[in-house]
Amino acid sequence: MSTLKTHFLFLLGILFANASQATHNRAGEIQYVQLSDLRIRATVITYTKASSISADRDSLLIDWGDGTFSSVLRTNGDGELLGNNTKRNIYISEHTYPGRGTYEIGVMDPNRVENILNIDPPNSVNIPFFIQTTASLLNLQFQTPNRSVRLLQAPIDFACVGVPFQHNPSAYDEDGDSLSFELTVPLMDKSSYVPNYSFPNQIAPGPENVITLDRTKGTFRWNSPQKAGEYNLAFIVHEYRKGVKIASTIRDMQIFVRQDCGSNLPPTLLTIDDTCIVAGAVLTLPIEAYDPDTSGLGSKILLTVSGAPFFSDPPMIFDAPVEFMPSPVRATLHWETNCSMVRKEYYTVVVKVTDNLLDSTGVSVLHAIRIKVVAPAPEQLQSSASPEAIQLSWAYPYTCDELNASFRGFSVWRKEGSLTLPQDTCQPGLERSPYQRIAYLVNDLQSGNYYFADTQLVEGKFYCYRVQAEFAGISSTGFLINVTGSLFSNETCNSLPIGIPVLLNADVVTTDSLTGMVYVRWTKPLPQDYDTTVHSPPYQTWISHFEDGRTWRIIPESSKSYADYGSIADTVFLQMDLQTYNRSHSYSVSILSGNQIAKRSDTAQTVFLQVTPDDRRIVLRWNSSTPWNNYQYAVYLWDPVAQMFDSTALVTSNTHTLTGLENDQEHCAYVLAYGDYGIKRFPQPLQNRSNIACSTPSDLTPPCCPRLVIDDPCKQKPGPGSSVPENVLRWNNPNLNCAEKDASGYHLYAYANGEKKLIADIRDPAITSYIHRLDEKTPDCYELRSYDSRLNECVDPDSVCIEYCPLYELPNTFTPNRDGANDLFKPYPYRFVERVDFKIFNRWGNLLFETNDPDILWEGKASGGEEVPDGTYYYTCRIYYSGISNADRFPSELNGFIEVRRGLSK
């Protein structure tokens, strides 16, 4: 056996020798920093029971995951007392690995604290405590060293029975890596879960006991604890870089749940959710908290904050009082941002308000705010064209071109045609836009400005450009890490000298199935851009036309001849006798030199509008393919009173819905498109109309479905003399919270034995409940559908099924004296019983009556028809449940006695 392994087993034996006589660990985690290619520094943080002096550890054994171990002394003296019988201990050590790889760093201690409710109760003291962090050694030639996540909130927290609880670890990743959070089971050894673990919601489970974890922000919510005691919870914080997981840290934490909170109410916190800010701006966020308790313990509150911005330069400032104060308490988060703070991921700030129920601590409410710092846009982007290239320039210096920022250069983005693009501060960059990146990390200067020349161009295309700054960490050999873009610049558009004819209009003048008209306008190339030595006179021009369902053809009336280039005039043409009612039309222009086509324009299509009727509305959709950019559309609707079209909307998308229309009346509309080439030479805006389209709205859309809930029938257990059990069904009125506000009633269906049956037609949408008496069997499921005035039912109804909780109980007395009351022996109202095998015997064991009917309906007579005398009779009853997979949970046989008393009335 090696000396190292012997040393490890010796130390472990010493630790476990005291395990039976001491309790110790509450919580902890392991952090690390990669120092070089193969060396790391690990920091182990544990939170222990301060009063457990015999189990106090001045050293711990670190398992480095490569087969080696190190005994590490505590670095913070005797530990830091935190109150609530808790002490924080810190152990730091460095280690060199034999090679690059992924290693699981772990620390074990034999002693957890005693009486943890959800870890092998009541034996948690005998379950080892183990924390683990998975570290990938990165190749520092291509990556920057990883600094694992730091969890700024202590993993010891306080909760109350019946009060919603929240905890957020306030995770901070100094490298700006992406973080995600995942619940897991605490460990007792490397990758080995503790035995008999229950998540907190599994202790006294029920609808009031629910846990969730926000995978993005890391907020754990428990709504709400149902049993007092100590709980342990573990979660993993995963770190990702370029979409690859590089580390995982397991935190084991403890929650103290108290029963003695009394009538104390939790405080309330008012602030924003998430926000984004441009570097260089000052962020000011107001925070307000108050407590509904006005006197005594729990009436004062303390505001605290933690998070990554408090480690920036300059750090965020929080001006809240440092003592518990009467509510309301108001404070401000103040952060002077700069370009060094730009990064891909959000910063998280956790704001916490705590009352003084326990004098120095109490019930807390927290809120995680995510803040993104984005880089400003490059400014003053301009373009100019030469025969070979389009030159771009923008302002130098750039705001964030400074020493302490991670600015690396600019990327250049291009698309054909102009595009109005809204700036989203929280999602900077052009990666999700129609623009394509054509250059990266540009830093060239010319004439006092940043400069780039685009030479990969095609004549006759109109190009539009934007630029953005790029920010990233950088490895020792220049590889970029966690790249993020700035806000994008203004747009500039240009083209190579245009040597082709350019279309300006394809405008529907008249809409008709036979006599429609389209206005076509175009312009010729500038003389300096048209080589008349190559393309010599005479010249001819014509317009080609394409109609849906046909082939391209030359319009004879558009053809014109010219002796020289200077005599070619800008041309307009009105094409007549077209079918423009439900067809689009496309055009191109050609210039011929001699008998050969010298130059041909791009193709332009008329705006083609189609309409779809609906209930009191018409949905408009249109499309067109043009060499210019249509950036806006005006929607016109015919006004029958004014006898004219009137503009009703201005939109940027290719669809619009006309609402508030009268059903069963025809409504007509057209669209006017506004466009441009983005080049000063051409007129703007270019205006082109669509065809006129008409439609008659009618109520074709079914109403919205209500949401159905049912009072739990399993809680309705009728006893002797009780009324027939019932299901209480409740739902919302969809007319109050849905765009379709035309529900006029409800159809309530019940499913039993696979059959669907209408049990209620409720003709008032304001009625939102129904009581279904269970005179017979309980239905398997209910379905509720709203319907409109045309009896169109909603299409996505709620179908709520009853929890299988069969019920079959028998009375012990009945009075078959023909007085109309209790004359038949029958069961109390029952559920989910298909049949029974029921038999009645006298005291000598003779069979008197038998039936398979679950209603029984015994009249107090023997099988021969004679009445049995008053007295006591014995019965057996075998129950056959209907369609229940978990029938074995319920009694299948009943045995008992029946008292027949004809002299009694019930």
Side-chain angles (χ1 to χ4, degrees), residues 85 128 136 189 369 385 431 525 572 581 583 629 716 804 827 838 845 849 894:
N85 199 11
S136 295
D189 201 344
I369 305 172
E431 286 78 5
V572 297
Y581 181 73
R583 290 183 183 175
N629 174 52
Q716 304 171 8
Y804 284 124
F838 179 82
F849 174 81
L894 296 176

Side-chain angles (χ1 to χ4, degrees), residues 6-16 61 71:
T6 302
H7 177 63
F8 168 64
L9 294 176
F10 173 73
L11 288 172
L12 202 60
I14 293 175
L15 293 176
F16 276 93
L61 199 66
S71 179

Side-chain angles (χ1 to χ4, degrees), residues 147-412:
R147 294 165 286 192
S148 70
V149 64
R150 295 168 62 184
L151 305 178
L152 306 178
Q153 285 279 2
I156 306 293
D157 220 328
F158 164 82
C160 286
V161 170
V163 178
F165 167 79
Q166 296 173 303
H167 175 85
N168 188 294
S170 191
Y172 166 45
D173 191 282
E174 193 172 352
D175 303 316
D177 296 321
S178 176
L179 303 179
S180 71
F181 299 81
E182 175 190 358
L183 282 176
T184 188
V185 175
L187 299 177
M188 61 180 291
D189 201 344
K190 182 173 291 188
S191 301
S192 179
Y193 297 141
V194 297
N196 300 321
Y197 180 77
S198 298
F199 284 99
N201 61 314
Q202 295 172 320
I203 304 296
E208 303 299 324
N209 191 351
V210 178
I211 63 171
T212 59
L213 179 69
D214 188 322
R215 296 181 64 87
T216 301
K217 293 184 177 182
T219 300
F220 172 78
R221 292 180 174 87
W222 186 2
N223 191 14
S224 54
Q226 298 297 304
K227 185 175 180 179
E230 297 182 18
Y231 295 77
N232 268 68
L233 179 77
F235 56 85
I236 312 173
V237 186
H238 300 290
E239 299 175 52
Y240 295 87
R241 185 178 293 181
K242 291 186 176 180
V244 177
K245 186 189 298 185
I246 60 172
S248 294
T249 299
I250 296 178
R251 165 175 268 194
D252 194 327
M253 68 170 291
Q254 190 163 64
I255 305 169
F256 297 94
V257 178
R258 299 180 63 105
Q259 184 72 53
D260 57 352
C261 299
S263 58
N264 179 70
L265 297 174
T268 298
L269 188 61
L270 302 176
T271 185
I272 66 168
D273 286 327
D274 299 337
T275 189
C276 302
I277 187 171
V278 179
V282 177
L283 179 66
T284 302
L285 295 179
I287 310 293
E288 181 175 347
Y290 65 90
D291 196 296
D293 300 305
T294 57
S295 62
L297 287 176
S299 62
K300 293 184 178 181
I301 52 177
L302 175 67
L303 270 174
T304 57
V305 292
S306 61
F310 294 93
F311 295 87
S312 65
D313 184 16
M316 178 178 278
I317 297 173
F318 188 53
D319 61 3
V322 296
E323 300 175 344
F324 284 91
M325 302 291 291
S327 62
V329 173
R330 297 180 177 88
T332 303
L333 287 169
H334 182 88
W335 195 18
E336 295 184 5
T337 64
N338 57 51
C339 295
S340 68
M341 302 171 186
V342 173
R343 70 178 196 177
K344 183 178 181 180
E345 299 299 322
Y346 282 80
Y347 294 84
T348 298
V349 175
V350 177
V351 184
K352 186 175 183 179
V353 56
T354 305
D355 69 19
N356 66 334
L357 177 64
L358 302 177
D359 189 33
S360 62
T361 186
V363 178
S364 297
V365 172
L366 60 84
H367 184 72
I369 305 172
R370 295 197 310 160
I371 305 168
K372 190 164 193 174
V373 180
V374 301
E379 297 179 339
Q380 301 176 28
L381 178 64
Q382 302 177 41
S383 63
S384 60
S386 66
E388 295 82 21
I390 294 176
Q391 292 82 25
L392 304 176
S393 65
W394 57 99
Y396 173 84
Y398 173 56
T399 306
C400 285
D401 188 359
E402 52 190 52
L403 292 177
N404 63 336
S406 54
F407 168 69
R408 304 302 171 197
F410 300 92
S411 57
V412 181

Side-chain angles (χ1 to χ4, degrees), residues 29-45:
E29 74 263 359
I30 302 173
Q31 304 171 2
Y32 77 91
V33 176
Q34 185 176 354
L35 302 175
S36 63
D37 273 322
L38 300 179
R39 189 167 181 81
I40 71 166
R41 177 189 301 122
T43 300
V44 179
I45 306 173

Side-chain angles (χ1 to χ4, degrees), residues 34 138-147 173-178 239-244 246 340 342-345 405-408 440-441 470-485:
Q34 185 176 354
L138 304 179
N139 187 337
L140 300 188
Q141 182 177 358
F142 306 102
Q143 297 275 5
T144 55
N146 185 45
R147 294 165 286 192
D173 191 282
E174 193 172 352
D175 303 316
D177 296 321
S178 176
E239 299 175 52
Y240 295 87
R241 185 178 293 181
K242 291 186 176 180
V244 177
I246 60 172
S340 68
V342 173
R343 70 178 196 177
K344 183 178 181 180
E345 299 299 322
S406 54
F407 168 69
R408 304 302 171 197
Y440 194 52
L441 303 185
E470 302 291 346
F471 291 75
I474 191 167
S475 73
S476 59
T477 55
F479 286 88
L480 300 186
I481 313 298
N482 291 336
V483 179
T484 186

